[in-house]
Amino acid sequence: MTLISEIQTERIDVSIIIPVYNAAETIGHLISKILRETRVVIELIIVNDGSTDATGNLIRDVCDNRFILIEQENQGVYAARNAALDIHRGEWVIFLDADDDVKDGFIYERWQDAINTQADVMIFNAWRTGPSSSKTAVHVKQPYGKNLSGHDWIRHCVTHREWPHYLWLQIIRSSYIRQHSLSFQSGKSHKDILWTIHLAAANGRFCLSDSKDYTYKVNADSITHRSDYFDVRAQSYIEVIAEIIRLARLEQNIRIRVFLYRHALVEARHFLGLFRNNVGDKIGVKSCFRESISAGDLFKGINSLSDVFFFIKLSGKLL
């Protein structure tokens, strides 16, 4: 791993972390927009995760003493984010994706909102756009403008069946990350779900905003939609479900235990849809599911008649 940076001695308000892999078409615009920010002291950490296109040359040409470049062999987006977390110095952290877009001034506005609410974690809203260019809100059922504990937020999300786990919605207090030794679990897909669950299970101060300062662009050509990646995604879902169940068993999570089991069952729904329609190695994935997840744990997540019917369907296919 190589690291390029200029020495900074002043306090850093916000660290912006962006992993990149073959993002030459979009990363330049995003970097330019971020580095136009002058009202808040930032550092921009780009992790080039083994890009094979022109990305490396493009970002090596950036000249700004707020810019840090980490270059590593391809290890996946979560390892890239961990590499940036290891060196970041900001009092707050924002994670972005290389192919999306942000509102001008969004860093300053997020920072101000987070300070004013005294939150450990503040979660914003965003626009989701697809090929038709139509826009929809990423979430619509959150307790906007309210301060609540991480455990209360888990209860809310599970009860309302809306779990906005996307990293680019968040601004997080760095001391909170360090206090609870938070990092990304290894893997290639869906581990942002676990990051956000661990973030909330640590039970800090959360605040939600309906401000839509980010545009998430649904890309039909992304790796998550490739047929050779479906089995990887299925394996990642198994790991996610197993980890949620592990968290549910912990004594410190007794007040949210049933909600974690319920969420594990929700993620099992997502897994089953992927398994039935897209997975190639059904025998291997089915065997892994059985080894990692018990029917008894998923049964604890049943909360409705619909859950009963789903559990019967899941049992017939996998358990």
Side-chain angles (χ1 to χ4, degrees), residues 202-222:
N203 207 27
R205 299 182 301 275
F206 275 62
C207 186
L208 284 292
S209 170
D210 195 27
S211 174
K212 302 174 184 67
D213 61 7
Y214 192 93
T215 301
Y216 167 57
K217 300 174 183 177
V218 178
N219 182 4
D221 297 323
S222 71

Side-chain angles (χ1 to χ4, degrees), residues 123 141-143 148 150-165 196 208 259 262-263 266:
I123 298 175
K141 302 176 183 178
Q142 294 302 304
L148 65 167
H151 284 188
D152 285 341
W153 185 59
I154 288 175
R155 292 189 192 93
H156 176 93
C157 291
V158 173
T159 301
H160 291 82
R161 288 186 173 268
E162 184 180 73
W163 181 252
H165 60 265
T196 305
L208 284 292
F259 294 92
R262 285 172 61 182
H263 191 61
V266 168

